[in-house]
Amino acid sequence: MPRFLHSRIVPIILLLFLGTVEELASQSITLQGGNQTLGITTGLAGSEPVAVINTASSIDFTKANVIQKVTVQTSCLGQRFGLKVVVTSTTLGTPAAEVTLTNGMPATDLVTGVPKRPPGPNNGSCSLLYTASATFAQGNSAELGNDVHTVTYTILAQ
């Protein structure tokens, strides 16, 4: 089940990530890398703040007796800033396009075509790349508060 974390940081934006584990029959998925914090604190005079990229997370999953996919969605009440995720590499399946994470969004495909077992390895993994962004017009978390995301990854039959 998702857990909520409380943290006190004063960068322009604070984003925390929690992975959840969904288990359906022999399917399982686990987020590796723990909770991530992305702080946008740099900008050049006359331009927008510099986006922050984080590659410290990955997903491990097991194959089942059906073709599967991995989906992603987020919950972030009062979301003010941008957040995207993309799979940079995967050992099984096909990465989908970059996903813009928006509060209340439906689950969106992140990896498709994970083959059923057998043949081949029963476990797969994929590396994640998060991009956090903000504009000057959106404000900053020091004035408006932090964005706190609960990001949910699910593996299910395709």
Side-chain angles (χ1 to χ4, degrees):
M1 282 292 151
R3 295 171 286 150
F4 294 94
L5 298 180
H6 301 282
S7 182
R8 196 185 76 179
I9 297 183
V10 191
I12 292 177
I13 181 174
L14 170 67
L15 301 166
L16 297 177
F17 302 97
L18 294 172
T20 63
V21 177
E22 295 289 332
E23 193 153 327
L24 303 169
S26 60
Q27 300 169 313
S28 69
I29 186 168
T30 306
L31 179 65
Q32 302 295 329
N35 299 317
Q36 302 296 311
T37 302
L38 286 75
I40 300 174
T41 58
T42 307
L44 302 173
S47 64
E48 300 294 344
V50 176
V52 175
I53 295 174
N54 179 298
T55 59
S57 296
S58 63
I59 298 172
D60 294 332
F61 53 89
T62 58
K63 293 185 344 185
N65 293 325
V66 297
I67 296 173
Q68 301 168 101
K69 65 181 180 177
V70 176
T71 64
V72 62
Q73 65 188 104
T74 191
S75 173
C76 179
L77 298 177
Q79 181 177 359
R80 293 181 183 92
F81 311 111
L83 180 64
K84 296 179 181 183
V85 65
V86 68
V87 171
T88 57
S89 67
T90 185
T91 60
L92 295 171
T94 304
E98 181 177 68
V99 176
T100 299
L101 298 172
T102 306
N103 179 55
M105 64 184 275
T108 303
D109 291 351
L110 192 65
V111 177
T112 59
V114 175
K116 62 183 181 178
R117 62 178 167 183
N122 284 333
N123 298 313
S125 65
C126 58
S127 299
L128 302 174
L129 182 144
Y130 291 103
T131 303
S133 61
T135 64
F136 285 113
Q138 289 173 315
N140 61 68
S141 63
E143 296 170 351
L144 301 172
N146 299 325
D147 277 2
V148 179
H149 287 261
T150 300
V151 180
T152 305
Y153 296 93
T154 307
I155 188 164
L156 59 140
Q158 186 168 316

